[in-house]
């Protein structure tokens, strides 16, 4: 099993195009669910032909040191929304600081910045976004 894992790419997805059907079609799973707070108002990006809405979600983990002190680690997740109706709803109604749950899949890729440098990118491609109202609102 360990040897099989070493043969997989460390990051990213390999894309192969062929006209022949694969000899064996295997079921795979790529699901992620996060529950956290929106880091900034969603932004519309991409082009008019290929629009995408992006936003970030913060999740955290609490842990206790041996001396009894508590600490909190915050992780930031980049979320992208391609589905037209979901994209429009997220852009209109989701706001910074709002609690949200995102269900989707993880995608790894590369982005070229303005200086031409390639950087790795990890995103959650949203299939569903749930909105929560705080009790105070």
């Amino acid at each position: 099993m360990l040897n099989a894992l070493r043969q997989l790419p460390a990051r990213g997805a390999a894309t192969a195009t062929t006209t022949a059907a694969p000899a064996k079609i295997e079921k795979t799973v790529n699901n992620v669910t996060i529950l956290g707070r929106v880091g900034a108002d969603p932004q519309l990006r991409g082009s008019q032909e290929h629009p995408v809405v992006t936003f970030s979600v913060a999740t955290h983990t609490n842990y206790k040191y041996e001396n009894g002190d508590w600490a909190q680690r915050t992780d930031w997740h980049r979320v992208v929304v391609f589905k037209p109706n979901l994209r429009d709803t997220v852009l209109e109604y989701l706001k910074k600081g709002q609690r949200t749950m995102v269900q989707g899949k993880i995608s790894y890729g590369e982005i070229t910045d303005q200086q031409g440098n390639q950087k790795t990118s990890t995103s959650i491609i949203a299939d569903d976004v749930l909105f929560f109202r705080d009790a105070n609102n």
Side-chain angles (χ1 to χ4, degrees), residues 6 29 54 79 86 96 108 112 119:
R6 286 187 183 145
V29 177
T54 65
V79 180
L86 183 59
K96 177 181 178 177
Y108 301 100
T112 305
K119 297 181 180 186

Side-chain angles (χ1 to χ4, degrees), residues 6 12 17 26 43 56 59 64 66 72 89 104 108 117 121 129 133 137:
R6 286 187 183 145
T17 305
E26 184 173 86
Q43 295 182 343
S56 59
T59 60
K64 191 175 184 179
E66 289 181 12
Q72 185 176 82
T89 303
Y108 301 100
N117 301 318
S121 168
V129 178
R133 290 183 51 183
N137 293 341

Side-chain angles (χ1 to χ4, degrees), residues 112-127:
T112 305
D113 65 16
Q114 294 174 344
Q115 290 77 31
N117 301 318
Q118 290 211 337
K119 297 181 180 186
T120 59
S121 168
T122 303
S123 301
I124 297 172
I125 300 173
D127 289 323

Side-chain angles (χ1 to χ4, degrees), residues 5 27 35 38 41 55 70 83-84 110 115 124 130 136:
L5 290 176
K27 174 79 173 155
L35 173 64
V38 178
D41 288 346
F55 63 97
W70 282 91
K83 290 182 173 182
E110 290 184 346
Q115 290 77 31
I124 297 172
L130 301 178
N136 300 342

Side-chain angles (χ1 to χ4, degrees), residues 1 6-7 21 26 34 39 47 49-50 55-56 75 80 84 87-89 91 93 95-96 107 115-116 124-125:
M1 178 73 170
R6 286 187 183 145
Q7 294 173 3
E26 184 173 86
I34 59 171
S47 64
E49 298 83 28
H50 302 287
F55 63 97
S56 59
D75 291 309
V80 295
R87 182 182 61 224
D88 297 341
T89 303
L91 189 59
Y93 296 107
K95 302 297 177 202
K96 177 181 178 177
S107 177
Q115 290 77 31
I124 297 172
I125 300 173

